[in-house]
Tab-separated table of all heavy atoms in Angstrom:
chain	number	residue	atom	x	y	z
M	975	MET	N	2.402	-2.509	-2.996
M	975	MET	CA	1.985	-1.134	-2.804
M	975	MET	C	1.144	-1.051	-1.548
M	975	MET	O	-0.047	-0.791	-1.600
M	975	MET	CB	1.210	-0.656	-4.037
M	975	MET	CG	1.493	0.745	-4.394
M	975	MET	SD	0.695	1.221	-5.915
M	975	MET	CE	-0.716	2.086	-5.286
M	976	ASN	N	1.736	-1.314	-0.445
M	976	ASN	CA	1.060	-1.249	0.844
M	976	ASN	C	-0.170	-2.135	0.917
M	976	ASN	O	-1.215	-1.732	1.428
M	976	ASN	CB	0.711	0.191	1.202
M	976	ASN	CG	1.931	1.045	1.404
M	976	ASN	OD1	2.964	0.552	1.810
M	976	ASN	ND2	1.820	2.311	1.117
M	977	TYR	N	-0.058	-3.335	0.360
M	977	TYR	CA	-1.134	-4.333	0.444
M	977	TYR	C	-2.429	-3.837	-0.197
M	977	TYR	O	-3.518	-4.108	0.296
M	977	TYR	CB	-1.345	-4.763	1.897
M	977	TYR	CG	-0.057	-5.176	2.554
M	977	TYR	CD1	0.514	-4.408	3.549
M	977	TYR	CD2	0.597	-6.333	2.146
M	977	TYR	CE1	1.708	-4.790	4.142
M	977	TYR	CE2	1.782	-6.713	2.724
M	977	TYR	CZ	2.337	-5.948	3.720
M	977	TYR	OH	3.521	-6.324	4.290
M	978	HIS	N	-2.300	-3.143	-1.306
M	978	HIS	CA	-3.469	-2.591	-2.000
M	978	HIS	C	-4.400	-3.699	-2.498
M	978	HIS	O	-5.612	-3.609	-2.338
M	978	HIS	CB	-3.009	-1.706	-3.159
M	978	HIS	CG	-4.079	-0.858	-3.734
M	978	HIS	ND1	-4.318	0.412	-3.297
M	978	HIS	CD2	-4.994	-1.116	-4.687
M	978	HIS	CE1	-5.335	0.913	-3.967
M	978	HIS	NE2	-5.765	0.009	-4.818
M	979	LEU	N	-3.828	-4.724	-3.111
M	979	LEU	CA	-4.636	-5.843	-3.599
M	979	LEU	C	-5.366	-6.520	-2.445
M	979	LEU	O	-6.576	-6.780	-2.523
M	979	LEU	CB	-3.758	-6.870	-4.324
M	979	LEU	CG	-4.452	-8.161	-4.748
M	979	LEU	CD1	-5.515	-7.875	-5.794
M	979	LEU	CD2	-3.445	-9.159	-5.257
M	980	GLU	N	-4.634	-6.771	-1.373
M	980	GLU	CA	-5.236	-7.442	-0.224
M	980	GLU	C	-6.371	-6.603	0.370
M	980	GLU	O	-7.392	-7.127	0.786
M	980	GLU	CB	-4.167	-7.723	0.832
M	980	GLU	CG	-3.128	-8.721	0.388
M	980	GLU	CD	-2.051	-8.149	-0.519
M	980	GLU	OE1	-2.106	-6.938	-0.863
M	980	GLU	OE2	-1.156	-8.907	-0.906
M	981	HIS	N	-6.177	-5.305	0.387
M	981	HIS	CA	-7.217	-4.408	0.890
M	981	HIS	C	-8.505	-4.548	0.076
M	981	HIS	O	-9.601	-4.553	0.628
M	981	HIS	CB	-6.715	-2.960	0.840
M	981	HIS	CG	-7.789	-1.930	0.908
M	981	HIS	ND1	-8.500	-1.675	2.060
M	981	HIS	CD2	-8.281	-1.104	-0.030
M	981	HIS	CE1	-9.383	-0.718	1.809
M	981	HIS	NE2	-9.273	-0.360	0.546
M	982	HIS	N	-8.379	-4.672	-1.244
M	982	HIS	CA	-9.575	-4.794	-2.089
M	982	HIS	C	-10.166	-6.203	-2.066
M	982	HIS	O	-11.375	-6.367	-2.177
M	982	HIS	CB	-9.265	-4.358	-3.517
M	982	HIS	CG	-9.182	-2.878	-3.646
M	982	HIS	ND1	-10.283	-2.078	-3.802
M	982	HIS	CD2	-8.115	-2.046	-3.613
M	982	HIS	CE1	-9.912	-0.817	-3.864
M	982	HIS	NE2	-8.602	-0.768	-3.747
M	983	LEU	N	-9.321	-7.197	-1.923
M	983	LEU	CA	-9.832	-8.572	-1.852
M	983	LEU	C	-10.533	-8.852	-0.524
M	983	LEU	O	-11.530	-9.562	-0.471
M	983	LEU	CB	-8.689	-9.575	-2.041
M	983	LEU	CG	-8.115	-9.694	-3.437
M	983	LEU	CD1	-6.912	-10.630	-3.421
M	983	LEU	CD2	-9.159	-10.176	-4.432
M	984	PHE	N	-9.970	-8.314	0.540
M	984	PHE	CA	-10.474	-8.579	1.889
M	984	PHE	C	-10.778	-7.242	2.582
M	984	PHE	O	-10.098	-6.827	3.505
M	984	PHE	CB	-9.439	-9.367	2.699
M	984	PHE	CG	-8.854	-10.534	1.966
M	984	PHE	CD1	-7.526	-10.551	1.590
M	984	PHE	CD2	-9.650	-11.620	1.637
M	984	PHE	CE1	-6.985	-11.632	0.913
M	984	PHE	CE2	-9.120	-12.713	0.969
M	984	PHE	CZ	-7.791	-12.717	0.598
M	985	MET	N	-11.826	-6.574	2.133
M	985	MET	CA	-12.129	-5.213	2.597
M	985	MET	C	-12.336	-5.096	4.099
M	985	MET	O	-12.094	-4.050	4.677
M	985	MET	CB	-13.371	-4.680	1.888
M	985	MET	CG	-13.135	-4.362	0.446
M	985	MET	SD	-14.578	-3.601	-0.296
M	985	MET	CE	-15.557	-5.050	-0.643
M	986	PHE	N	-12.797	-6.143	4.733
M	986	PHE	CA	-13.125	-6.049	6.147
M	986	PHE	C	-11.997	-6.507	7.067
M	986	PHE	O	-12.168	-6.548	8.276
M	986	PHE	CB	-14.411	-6.829	6.439
M	986	PHE	CG	-15.571	-6.275	5.658
M	986	PHE	CD1	-16.070	-6.945	4.559
M	986	PHE	CD2	-16.125	-5.059	6.009
M	986	PHE	CE1	-17.129	-6.423	3.832
M	986	PHE	CE2	-17.186	-4.522	5.289
M	986	PHE	CZ	-17.684	-5.199	4.196
M	987	VAL	N	-10.843	-6.808	6.482
M	987	VAL	CA	-9.674	-7.190	7.284
M	987	VAL	C	-9.017	-5.904	7.782
M	987	VAL	O	-8.766	-4.989	6.993
M	987	VAL	CB	-8.683	-8.018	6.434
M	987	VAL	CG1	-7.376	-8.225	7.171
M	987	VAL	CG2	-9.305	-9.341	6.045
M	988	PRO	N	-8.736	-5.801	9.075
M	988	PRO	CA	-8.077	-4.594	9.595
M	988	PRO	C	-6.699	-4.412	8.965
M	988	PRO	O	-6.033	-5.385	8.592
M	988	PRO	CB	-7.942	-4.850	11.096
M	988	PRO	CG	-8.738	-6.065	11.384
M	988	PRO	CD	-9.006	-6.785	10.113
M	989	CYS	N	-6.262	-3.168	8.854
M	989	CYS	CA	-5.004	-2.871	8.163
M	989	CYS	C	-3.809	-3.609	8.764
M	989	CYS	O	-2.892	-3.988	8.047
M	989	CYS	CB	-4.758	-1.369	8.125
M	989	CYS	SG	-4.606	-0.600	9.737
M	990	TRP	N	-3.805	-3.840	10.056
M	990	TRP	CA	-2.662	-4.522	10.674
M	990	TRP	C	-2.635	-6.015	10.360
M	990	TRP	O	-1.653	-6.682	10.633
M	990	TRP	CB	-2.637	-4.289	12.188
M	990	TRP	CG	-3.834	-4.813	12.925
M	990	TRP	CD1	-4.020	-6.069	13.408
M	990	TRP	CD2	-5.011	-4.094	13.242
M	990	TRP	NE1	-5.243	-6.179	14.009
M	990	TRP	CE2	-5.883	-4.966	13.921
M	990	TRP	CE3	-5.446	-2.785	13.024
M	990	TRP	CZ2	-7.135	-4.586	14.370
M	990	TRP	CZ3	-6.694	-2.412	13.479
M	990	TRP	CH2	-7.509	-3.296	14.144
M	991	ARG	N	-3.717	-6.552	9.760
M	991	ARG	CA	-3.752	-7.967	9.378
M	991	ARG	C	-3.461	-8.176	7.890
M	991	ARG	O	-3.383	-9.301	7.414
M	991	ARG	CB	-5.128	-8.566	9.692
M	991	ARG	CG	-5.511	-8.577	11.159
M	991	ARG	CD	-4.616	-9.473	12.003
M	991	ARG	NE	-4.523	-10.820	11.499
M	991	ARG	CZ	-5.185	-11.876	11.952
M	991	ARG	NH1	-5.996	-11.739	12.963
M	991	ARG	NH2	-5.016	-13.064	11.414
M	992	LEU	N	-3.297	-7.090	7.119
M	992	LEU	CA	-3.043	-7.215	5.682
M	992	LEU	C	-1.717	-7.910	5.356
M	992	LEU	O	-1.660	-8.674	4.390
M	992	LEU	CB	-3.146	-5.853	4.998
M	992	LEU	CG	-4.557	-5.273	4.960
M	992	LEU	CD1	-4.536	-3.874	4.354
M	992	LEU	CD2	-5.524	-6.182	4.209
M	993	PRO	N	-0.645	-7.706	6.135
M	993	PRO	CA	0.571	-8.479	5.849
M	993	PRO	C	0.331	-9.992	5.938
M	993	PRO	O	0.861	-10.760	5.129
M	993	PRO	CB	1.561	-7.998	6.910
M	993	PRO	CG	1.110	-6.619	7.234
M	993	PRO	CD	-0.398	-6.687	7.162
M	994	ALA	N	-0.471	-10.428	6.882
M	994	ALA	CA	-0.787	-11.861	6.995
M	994	ALA	C	-1.620	-12.318	5.800
M	994	ALA	O	-1.432	-13.429	5.288
M	994	ALA	CB	-1.529	-12.137	8.297
M	995	ALA	N	-2.528	-11.472	5.335
M	995	ALA	CA	-3.320	-11.808	4.143
M	995	ALA	C	-2.413	-11.920	2.924
M	995	ALA	O	-2.582	-12.815	2.090
M	995	ALA	CB	-4.403	-10.752	3.909
M	996	HIS	N	-1.426	-11.040	2.825
M	996	HIS	CA	-0.461	-11.093	1.724
M	996	HIS	C	0.321	-12.405	1.758
M	996	HIS	O	0.453	-13.085	0.738
M	996	HIS	CB	0.489	-9.902	1.825
M	996	HIS	CG	1.547	-9.877	0.786
M	996	HIS	ND1	1.302	-9.503	-0.511
M	996	HIS	CD2	2.868	-10.203	0.850
M	996	HIS	CE1	2.419	-9.584	-1.208
M	996	HIS	NE2	3.384	-10.013	-0.404
M	997	ARG	N	0.808	-12.770	2.937
M	997	ARG	CA	1.549	-14.035	3.065
M	997	ARG	C	0.668	-15.226	2.724
M	997	ARG	O	1.129	-16.193	2.104
M	997	ARG	CB	2.125	-14.162	4.475
M	997	ARG	CG	3.268	-13.200	4.748
M	997	ARG	CD	3.964	-13.501	6.063
M	997	ARG	NE	3.074	-13.402	7.209
M	997	ARG	CZ	2.822	-12.292	7.885
M	997	ARG	NH1	3.389	-11.157	7.522
M	997	ARG	NH2	2.005	-12.301	8.928
M	998	ALA	N	-0.610	-15.165	3.088
M	998	ALA	CA	-1.526	-16.265	2.777
M	998	ALA	C	-1.718	-16.394	1.271
M	998	ALA	O	-1.755	-17.513	0.738
M	998	ALA	CB	-2.870	-16.048	3.471
M	999	LEU	N	-1.834	-15.275	0.564
M	999	LEU	CA	-1.958	-15.329	-0.899
M	999	LEU	C	-0.705	-15.932	-1.531
M	999	LEU	O	-0.797	-16.743	-2.453
M	999	LEU	CB	-2.207	-13.932	-1.470
M	999	LEU	CG	-3.597	-13.362	-1.270
M	999	LEU	CD1	-3.632	-11.899	-1.712
M	999	LEU	CD2	-4.629	-14.171	-2.039
M	1000	LEU	N	0.454	-15.526	-1.041
M	1000	LEU	CA	1.701	-16.074	-1.582
M	1000	LEU	C	1.808	-17.570	-1.292
M	1000	LEU	O	2.283	-18.338	-2.138
M	1000	LEU	CB	2.902	-15.337	-0.998
M	1000	LEU	CG	3.047	-13.863	-1.398
M	1000	LEU	CD1	4.261	-13.254	-0.699
M	1000	LEU	CD2	3.146	-13.711	-2.893
M	1001	ALA	N	1.369	-17.997	-0.129
M	1001	ALA	CA	1.454	-19.412	0.259
M	1001	ALA	C	0.548	-20.290	-0.595
M	1001	ALA	O	0.803	-21.491	-0.730
M	1001	ALA	CB	1.084	-19.571	1.733
M	1002	THR	N	-0.496	-19.708	-1.189
M	1002	THR	CA	-1.397	-20.495	-2.041
M	1002	THR	C	-0.958	-20.491	-3.501
M	1002	THR	O	-1.673	-20.994	-4.359
M	1002	THR	CB	-2.845	-19.972	-1.953
M	1002	THR	OG1	-2.888	-18.627	-2.408
M	1002	THR	CG2	-3.384	-20.060	-0.538
M	1003	GLY	N	0.224	-19.918	-3.780
M	1003	GLY	CA	0.750	-19.933	-5.135
M	1003	GLY	C	0.163	-18.867	-6.036
M	1003	GLY	O	0.165	-19.010	-7.252
M	1004	ARG	N	-0.324	-17.777	-5.492
M	1004	ARG	CA	-0.945	-16.705	-6.290
M	1004	ARG	C	0.040	-15.636	-6.736
M	1004	ARG	O	-0.346	-14.670	-7.365
M	1004	ARG	CB	-2.066	-16.030	-5.488
M	1004	ARG	CG	-3.162	-16.936	-5.068
M	1004	ARG	CD	-4.015	-17.267	-6.234
M	1004	ARG	NE	-5.175	-18.033	-5.794
M	1004	ARG	CZ	-6.005	-18.576	-6.603
M	1004	ARG	NH1	-5.848	-18.459	-7.897
M	1004	ARG	NH2	-7.020	-19.268	-6.154
M	1005	GLU	N	1.321	-15.815	-6.437
M	1005	GLU	CA	2.311	-14.786	-6.752
M	1005	GLU	C	2.344	-14.454	-8.249
M	1005	GLU	O	2.502	-13.295	-8.634
M	1005	GLU	CB	3.695	-15.221	-6.290
M	1005	GLU	CG	4.734	-14.146	-6.467
M	1005	GLU	CD	6.045	-14.519	-5.820
M	1005	GLU	OE1	6.136	-15.567	-5.153
M	1005	GLU	OE2	6.997	-13.746	-5.982
M	1006	ASP	N	2.173	-15.454	-9.116
M	1006	ASP	CA	2.203	-15.204	-10.556
M	1006	ASP	C	1.023	-14.362	-11.027
M	1006	ASP	O	1.082	-13.744	-12.085
M	1006	ASP	CB	2.225	-16.520	-11.330
M	1006	ASP	CG	3.529	-17.270	-11.140
M	1006	ASP	OD1	4.527	-16.632	-10.750
M	1006	ASP	OD2	3.551	-18.489	-11.374
M	1007	GLU	N	-0.043	-14.328	-10.255
M	1007	GLU	CA	-1.227	-13.558	-10.622
M	1007	GLU	C	-1.226	-12.158	-10.021
M	1007	GLU	O	-2.138	-11.380	-10.261
M	1007	GLU	CB	-2.484	-14.296	-10.157
M	1007	GLU	CG	-2.631	-15.671	-10.764
M	1007	GLU	CD	-3.776	-16.448	-10.163
M	1007	GLU	OE1	-4.810	-15.828	-9.874
M	1007	GLU	OE2	-3.632	-17.661	-9.979
M	1008	MET	N	-0.201	-11.853	-9.233
M	1008	MET	CA	-0.127	-10.573	-8.537
M	1008	MET	C	0.961	-9.707	-9.161
M	1008	MET	O	1.996	-10.203	-9.588
M	1008	MET	CB	0.188	-10.801	-7.055
M	1008	MET	CG	-0.852	-11.633	-6.331
M	1008	MET	SD	-0.307	-12.251	-4.734
M	1008	MET	CE	-0.072	-10.754	-3.814
M	1009	GLU	N	0.714	-8.414	-9.224
M	1009	GLU	CA	1.733	-7.455	-9.678
M	1009	GLU	C	2.438	-6.933	-8.439
M	1009	GLU	O	1.890	-6.114	-7.697
M	1009	GLU	CB	1.072	-6.309	-10.439
M	1009	GLU	CG	2.038	-5.282	-10.972
M	1009	GLU	CD	2.917	-5.821	-12.080
M	1009	GLU	OE1	2.377	-6.428	-13.020
M	1009	GLU	OE2	4.144	-5.645	-11.989
M	1010	LEU	N	3.640	-7.426	-8.186
M	1010	LEU	CA	4.394	-7.040	-6.992
M	1010	LEU	C	5.471	-6.039	-7.389
M	1010	LEU	O	6.293	-6.326	-8.261
M	1010	LEU	CB	5.027	-8.258	-6.329
M	1010	LEU	CG	4.055	-9.349	-5.883
M	1010	LEU	CD1	4.818	-10.565	-5.373
M	1010	LEU	CD2	3.113	-8.818	-4.822
M	1011	GLN	N	5.463	-4.883	-6.762
M	1011	GLN	CA	6.450	-3.840	-7.029
M	1011	GLN	C	7.000	-3.342	-5.697
M	1011	GLN	O	6.299	-3.361	-4.683
M	1011	GLN	CB	5.818	-2.684	-7.804
M	1011	GLN	CG	5.368	-3.065	-9.201
M	1011	GLN	CD	6.515	-3.525	-10.071
M	1011	GLN	OE1	7.626	-3.010	-10.003
M	1011	GLN	NE2	6.250	-4.530	-10.894
M	1012	PRO	N	8.237	-2.839	-5.691
M	1012	PRO	CA	8.858	-2.432	-4.433
M	1012	PRO	C	8.339	-1.118	-3.853
M	1012	PRO	O	8.595	-0.818	-2.695
M	1012	PRO	CB	10.341	-2.316	-4.791
M	1012	PRO	CG	10.347	-2.028	-6.248
M	1012	PRO	CD	9.162	-2.765	-6.811
M	1013	GLY	N	7.618	-0.327	-4.632
M	1013	GLY	CA	7.130	0.944	-4.095
M	1013	GLY	C	6.322	1.718	-5.121
M	1013	GLY	O	6.103	1.269	-6.252
M	1014	TYR	N	5.889	2.899	-4.718
M	1014	TYR	CA	5.039	3.733	-5.567
M	1014	TYR	C	5.734	4.155	-6.856
M	1014	TYR	O	5.113	4.216	-7.904
M	1014	TYR	CB	4.584	4.980	-4.813
M	1014	TYR	CG	3.561	4.695	-3.755
M	1014	TYR	CD1	3.867	4.850	-2.412
M	1014	TYR	CD2	2.282	4.277	-4.098
M	1014	TYR	CE1	2.929	4.583	-1.437
M	1014	TYR	CE2	1.341	4.004	-3.130
M	1014	TYR	CZ	1.663	4.164	-1.801
M	1014	TYR	OH	0.739	3.893	-0.840
M	1015	LEU	N	7.020	4.476	-6.786
M	1015	LEU	CA	7.733	4.915	-7.982
M	1015	LEU	C	7.721	3.825	-9.049
M	1015	LEU	O	7.483	4.107	-10.228
M	1015	LEU	CB	9.163	5.323	-7.634
M	1015	LEU	CG	9.982	5.895	-8.780
M	1015	LEU	CD1	9.299	7.119	-9.382
M	1015	LEU	CD2	11.379	6.252	-8.297
M	1016	ALA	N	7.946	2.590	-8.659
M	1016	ALA	CA	7.921	1.484	-9.617
M	1016	ALA	C	6.528	1.313	-10.219
M	1016	ALA	O	6.382	1.058	-11.414
M	1016	ALA	CB	8.371	0.191	-8.948
M	1017	VAL	N	5.503	1.467	-9.409
M	1017	VAL	CA	4.128	1.360	-9.908
M	1017	VAL	C	3.836	2.485	-10.882
M	1017	VAL	O	3.240	2.265	-11.954
M	1017	VAL	CB	3.115	1.368	-8.737
M	1017	VAL	CG1	1.689	1.466	-9.245
M	1017	VAL	CG2	3.293	0.125	-7.895
M	1018	LEU	N	4.244	3.697	-10.553
M	1018	LEU	CA	4.019	4.828	-11.458
M	1018	LEU	C	4.762	4.645	-12.772
M	1018	LEU	O	4.236	4.976	-13.838
M	1018	LEU	CB	4.433	6.131	-10.784
M	1018	LEU	CG	3.529	6.586	-9.648
M	1018	LEU	CD1	4.118	7.808	-8.950
M	1018	LEU	CD2	2.131	6.878	-10.144
M	1019	ARG	N	5.975	4.109	-12.716
M	1019	ARG	CA	6.719	3.841	-13.955
M	1019	ARG	C	5.964	2.842	-14.829
M	1019	ARG	O	5.871	3.013	-16.042
M	1019	ARG	CB	8.104	3.309	-13.640
M	1019	ARG	CG	9.066	4.377	-13.225
M	1019	ARG	CD	10.468	3.814	-13.071
M	1019	ARG	NE	11.370	4.855	-12.644
M	1019	ARG	CZ	12.235	4.738	-11.649
M	1019	ARG	NH1	12.329	3.598	-10.986
M	1019	ARG	NH2	13.015	5.734	-11.328
M	1020	LEU	N	5.440	1.787	-14.234
M	1020	LEU	CA	4.670	0.807	-15.000
M	1020	LEU	C	3.391	1.414	-15.557
M	1020	LEU	O	3.024	1.174	-16.701
M	1020	LEU	CB	4.314	-0.398	-14.128
M	1020	LEU	CG	5.388	-1.430	-13.931
M	1020	LEU	CD1	4.937	-2.478	-12.914
M	1020	LEU	CD2	5.745	-2.091	-15.239
M	1021	ALA	N	2.712	2.186	-14.742
M	1021	ALA	CA	1.425	2.747	-15.152
M	1021	ALA	C	1.583	3.758	-16.280
M	1021	ALA	O	0.668	3.927	-17.085
M	1021	ALA	CB	0.740	3.400	-13.960
M	1022	THR	N	2.729	4.423	-16.354
M	1022	THR	CA	2.909	5.441	-17.378
M	1022	THR	C	3.776	4.982	-18.536
M	1022	THR	O	4.040	5.751	-19.444
M	1022	THR	CB	3.522	6.708	-16.757
M	1022	THR	OG1	4.780	6.379	-16.157
M	1022	THR	CG2	2.593	7.316	-15.721
M	1023	SER	N	4.209	3.726	-18.524
M	1023	SER	CA	5.049	3.219	-19.612
M	1023	SER	C	4.184	2.859	-20.810
M	1023	SER	O	2.979	2.685	-20.714
M	1023	SER	CB	5.839	1.997	-19.148
M	1023	SER	OG	4.972	0.905	-18.926
M	1024	ARG	N	4.831	2.757	-21.943
M	1024	ARG	CA	4.151	2.338	-23.169
M	1024	ARG	C	4.667	0.954	-23.549
M	1024	ARG	O	5.833	0.638	-23.335
M	1024	ARG	CB	4.457	3.311	-24.316
M	1024	ARG	CG	4.014	4.708	-24.051
M	1024	ARG	CD	2.624	4.868	-24.524
M	1024	ARG	NE	2.199	6.246	-24.306
M	1024	ARG	CZ	0.988	6.639	-24.572
M	1024	ARG	NH1	0.118	5.819	-25.058
M	1024	ARG	NH2	0.644	7.880	-24.363
M	1025	VAL	N	3.808	0.147	-24.108
M	1025	VAL	CA	4.213	-1.180	-24.573
M	1025	VAL	C	4.368	-1.138	-26.082
M	1025	VAL	O	3.880	-0.220	-26.744
M	1025	VAL	CB	3.191	-2.267	-24.159
M	1025	VAL	CG1	3.152	-2.413	-22.657
M	1025	VAL	CG2	1.822	-1.953	-24.690
M	1026	ALA	N	5.018	-2.140	-26.650
M	1026	ALA	CA	5.195	-2.201	-28.101
M	1026	ALA	C	3.848	-2.318	-28.791
M	1026	ALA	O	2.909	-2.914	-28.269
M	1026	ALA	CB	6.078	-3.384	-28.460
M	1027	GLY	N	3.762	-1.732	-29.968
M	1027	GLY	CA	2.526	-1.769	-30.751
M	1027	GLY	C	2.299	-3.141	-31.355
M	1027	GLY	O	3.034	-4.092	-31.098
M	1028	PRO	N	1.283	-3.279	-32.213
M	1028	PRO	CA	0.928	-4.580	-32.777
M	1028	PRO	C	2.036	-5.206	-33.611
M	1028	PRO	O	2.102	-6.413	-33.754
M	1028	PRO	CB	-0.306	-4.297	-33.625
M	1028	PRO	CG	-0.509	-2.835	-33.637
M	1028	PRO	CD	0.408	-2.213	-32.639
M	1029	THR	N	2.940	-4.391	-34.151
M	1029	THR	CA	4.032	-4.954	-34.954
M	1029	THR	C	5.155	-5.468	-34.079
M	1029	THR	O	6.018	-6.193	-34.551
M	1029	THR	CB	4.598	-3.884	-35.912
M	1029	THR	OG1	5.132	-2.816	-35.122
M	1029	THR	CG2	3.530	-3.364	-36.849
M	1030	GLY	N	5.154	-5.076	-32.798
M	1030	GLY	CA	6.199	-5.511	-31.894
M	1030	GLY	C	7.491	-4.747	-32.047
M	1030	GLY	O	8.489	-5.068	-31.420
M	1031	ARG	N	7.509	-3.726	-32.932
M	1031	ARG	CA	8.731	-2.946	-33.136
M	1031	ARG	C	8.991	-2.064	-31.934
M	1031	ARG	O	8.070	-1.466	-31.386
M	1031	ARG	CB	8.608	-2.061	-34.377
M	1031	ARG	CG	8.475	-2.829	-35.645
M	1031	ARG	CD	8.448	-1.895	-36.816
M	1031	ARG	NE	7.732	-0.652	-36.453
M	1031	ARG	CZ	7.148	0.131	-37.324
M	1031	ARG	NH1	7.170	-0.153	-38.589
M	1031	ARG	NH2	6.543	1.233	-36.933
M	1032	SER	N	10.239	-1.988	-31.540
M	1032	SER	CA	10.570	-1.077	-30.459
M	1032	SER	C	10.440	0.339	-30.973
M	1032	SER	O	10.690	0.615	-32.136
M	1032	SER	CB	11.981	-1.336	-29.936
M	1032	SER	OG	12.912	-1.092	-30.959
M	1033	GLY	N	10.041	1.223	-30.127
M	1033	GLY	CA	9.875	2.606	-30.533
M	1033	GLY	C	8.473	2.912	-30.994
M	1033	GLY	O	8.079	4.047	-31.066
M	1034	SER	N	7.690	1.896	-31.328
M	1034	SER	CA	6.294	2.168	-31.701
M	1034	SER	C	5.542	2.503	-30.443
M	1034	SER	O	5.793	1.957	-29.384
M	1034	SER	CB	5.681	0.971	-32.418
M	1034	SER	OG	5.607	-0.130	-31.552
M	1035	ARG	N	4.624	3.405	-30.545
M	1035	ARG	CA	3.891	3.839	-29.360
M	1035	ARG	C	2.538	3.138	-29.335
M	1035	ARG	O	1.593	3.604	-29.940
M	1035	ARG	CB	3.734	5.349	-29.345
M	1035	ARG	CG	5.079	6.048	-29.173
M	1035	ARG	CD	4.925	7.514	-29.004
M	1035	ARG	NE	4.059	7.884	-27.916
M	1035	ARG	CZ	4.454	8.175	-26.695
M	1035	ARG	NH1	5.711	8.104	-26.390
M	1035	ARG	NH2	3.593	8.533	-25.768
M	1036	GLY	N	2.514	2.035	-28.649
M	1036	GLY	CA	1.272	1.287	-28.481
M	1036	GLY	C	0.438	1.882	-27.380
M	1036	GLY	O	0.742	2.955	-26.856
M	1037	PRO	N	-0.595	1.195	-26.999
M	1037	PRO	CA	-1.445	1.685	-25.903
M	1037	PRO	C	-0.679	1.690	-24.592
M	1037	PRO	O	0.284	0.967	-24.422
M	1037	PRO	CB	-2.602	0.681	-25.870
M	1037	PRO	CG	-2.030	-0.553	-26.477
M	1037	PRO	CD	-1.022	-0.099	-27.495
M	1038	ALA	N	-1.109	2.531	-23.677
M	1038	ALA	CA	-0.487	2.560	-22.353
M	1038	ALA	C	-0.645	1.197	-21.699
M	1038	ALA	O	-1.654	0.539	-21.864
M	1038	ALA	CB	-1.128	3.644	-21.497
M	1039	GLN	N	0.381	0.793	-20.980
M	1039	GLN	CA	0.335	-0.512	-20.307
M	1039	GLN	C	-0.717	-0.476	-19.223
M	1039	GLN	O	-0.791	0.444	-18.423
M	1039	GLN	CB	1.698	-0.831	-19.712
M	1039	GLN	CG	1.742	-2.175	-19.043
M	1039	GLN	CD	3.127	-2.512	-18.586
M	1039	GLN	OE1	4.082	-1.849	-18.937
M	1039	GLN	NE2	3.248	-3.549	-17.800
M	1040	HIS	N	-1.543	-1.481	-19.183
M	1040	HIS	CA	-2.614	-1.565	-18.182
M	1040	HIS	C	-2.183	-2.505	-17.083
M	1040	HIS	O	-1.887	-3.658	-17.324
M	1040	HIS	CB	-3.888	-2.079	-18.850
M	1040	HIS	CG	-5.082	-1.974	-17.978
M	1040	HIS	ND1	-5.667	-0.775	-17.673
M	1040	HIS	CD2	-5.804	-2.912	-17.329
M	1040	HIS	CE1	-6.694	-0.988	-16.893
M	1040	HIS	NE2	-6.792	-2.270	-16.671
M	1041	ILE	N	-2.109	-1.986	-15.857
M	1041	ILE	CA	-1.700	-2.843	-14.739
M	1041	ILE	C	-2.816	-2.982	-13.736
M	1041	ILE	O	-3.721	-2.232	-13.680
M	1041	ILE	CB	-0.443	-2.338	-14.038
M	1041	ILE	CG1	-0.617	-0.905	-13.549
M	1041	ILE	CG2	0.751	-2.444	-14.951
M	1041	ILE	CD1	0.498	-0.397	-12.708
């Protein structure tokens, strides 16, 4: 999402250096700890989706997914 994580991790890095910061995070094996999405629509879908409730049944309306 336009290097949002990198912006918050490295607040004083100029915007044109955020792609390099992103590559550095990936090179250190942090990809599994990052939520990578192709764009705003995908992020909005995740943010507004519901996850399964405590029973794990599909169709149950659990808490909103926290990303």
Side-chain angles (χ1 to χ4, degrees):
M975 218 175 100
N976 295 330
Y977 309 110
H978 193 92
L979 173 65
E980 294 80 358
H981 162 71
H982 284 277
L983 288 175
F984 313 113
M985 289 185 278
F986 299 105
V987 171
C989 61
W990 62 86
R991 297 295 307 260
L992 292 176
H996 178 76
R997 289 189 300 273
L999 285 172
L1000 294 178
T1002 61
R1004 300 286 186 188
E1005 186 172 355
D1006 292 340
E1007 300 173 38
M1008 300 165 64
E1009 181 68 49
L1010 301 174
Q1011 294 298 323
Y1014 288 112
L1015 184 58
V1017 172
L1018 290 174
R1019 282 186 181 132
L1020 280 173
T1022 59
S1023 68
R1024 299 271 182 184
V1025 295
T1029 62
R1031 296 184 324 204
S1032 63
S1034 65
R1035 293 186 56 95
Q1039 182 175 349
H1040 190 72
I1041 56 173

